[in-house]
Amino acid sequence: MKRKNPEQHITTAIHAPLLAAIRSLIPLSEAEEAIVCQLFKEKHYKKGSFFLAENEICRQAAFVISGFMRYYINDDGEEKTYSFAKPYNFACNYESFVPQKPSAQIIQALEDCVLLTISYDDLLLLYEQVRYGDRLGRLVIEQVFIQTLKDRNSFYTDSPESRYEKFVNEHKDLLQQISQYHIASFVGIKPQSLSRIRKRLAGN
């Protein structure tokens, strides 16, 4: 099938936050905005579904429009949540996406999500067709990869209380939306232990 001429592609409202995020990193001409809108496809994920399942190859990167997802690993049957992807953030497992190798990490929708996704092959097209596309890819990969490493390292080095305080500081907007089970998983403790930490902090 012949690819559409980007000049003929109409920029839709759903792409506006993505374009704003990209423009904060690189300049875009109108023609390049049209290319971005053509290559990033709208996809919907139901609550509980997987953007990336365990041992799958991560074949797409995403920009979250609405909803949120969690990153976690399966450690001998125990789920360990180490990060979240919120609206207007990029989401991807770049350790799998860049080399196109199976992923040990899992990315799951915690509520219904609307995403703008780009495949690995289309990202290579973006690098070719957008003037600073390769710079954009590098900056986004650095942002997501470095944050993911920080979150995973924190899981093994910070105390549960410190991790809970970090969650409250960085994800206050999610406090009422995420279950106690998933917050406890992020903190690295059982839900009943999380209740004790919350009571202790509330008493200070």
Side-chain angles (χ1 to χ4, degrees):
M1 181 185 283
K2 203 171 181 180
R3 187 175 292 277
K4 290 179 184 176
N5 183 342
E7 301 279 357
Q8 298 172 345
H9 185 84
I10 300 173
T11 301
T12 60
I14 198 170
H15 286 90
L18 170 64
L19 292 172
I22 291 175
R23 277 194 232 98
S24 72
L25 300 172
I26 63 168
L28 284 175
S29 68
E30 286 188 16
E32 288 170 335
E33 288 182 2
I35 291 170
V36 169
C37 293
Q38 183 186 26
L39 295 178
F40 275 86
K41 311 294 196 304
E42 180 180 347
K43 288 189 180 178
H44 295 247
Y45 286 82
K46 289 290 187 184
K47 179 179 179 179
S49 63
F50 294 95
F51 175 77
L52 176 65
E54 188 175 14
N55 295 321
E56 279 187 354
I57 294 174
C58 187
R59 301 191 185 278
Q60 57 186 348
F63 183 78
V64 183
I65 297 297
S66 64
F68 59 94
M69 303 186 290
R70 67 167 176 147
Y71 293 75
Y72 72 97
I73 56 173
N74 240 323
D75 186 9
D76 290 330
E78 184 180 356
E79 296 179 1
K80 293 185 175 179
T81 300
Y82 60 87
S83 192
F84 298 96
K86 302 188 292 185
Y88 306 160
N89 287 339
F90 288 95
C92 187
N93 176 13
Y94 287 101
E95 292 170 272
S96 170
F97 184 71
V98 173
Q100 288 291 281
K101 291 183 177 180
S103 171
Q105 284 77 47
I106 302 162
I107 305 177
Q108 181 187 33
L110 289 185
E111 64 179 25
D112 292 350
C113 292
V114 178
L115 310 177
L116 291 173
T117 67
I118 185 167
S119 70
Y120 181 80
D121 288 340
D122 280 348
L123 185 62
L124 296 181
L125 272 178
L126 185 144
Y127 289 167
E128 290 176 9
Q129 297 177 8
V130 173
R131 190 176 19 158
Y132 297 107
D134 56 345
R135 182 183 175 201
L136 170 68
R138 188 185 76 249
L139 290 172
V140 171
I141 286 173
E142 285 176 357
Q143 285 181 2
V144 177
F145 188 61
I146 290 171
Q147 186 60 50
T148 300
L149 283 179
K150 283 181 179 177
D151 289 336
R152 280 163 58 185
N153 289 341
S154 168
F155 195 94
Y156 294 104
T157 59
D158 292 343
S159 69
E161 190 163 310
S162 294
R163 282 184 60 75
Y164 178 69
E165 290 180 310
K166 176 184 176 183
F167 174 84
V168 172
N169 290 333
E170 295 184 1
H171 304 293
K172 189 173 289 186
D173 52 329
L174 299 182
L175 269 175
Q176 303 306 317
Q177 297 172 268
I178 295 182
S179 70
Q180 294 304 296
Y181 170 82
H182 289 130
I183 295 175
S185 173
F186 175 80
V187 173
I189 55 178
K190 301 296 182 186
Q192 54 268 34
S193 299
L194 176 64
S195 296
R196 288 194 289 271
I197 287 176
R198 295 178 72 175
K199 286 177 184 175
R200 188 162 62 248
L201 291 174
N204 289 340

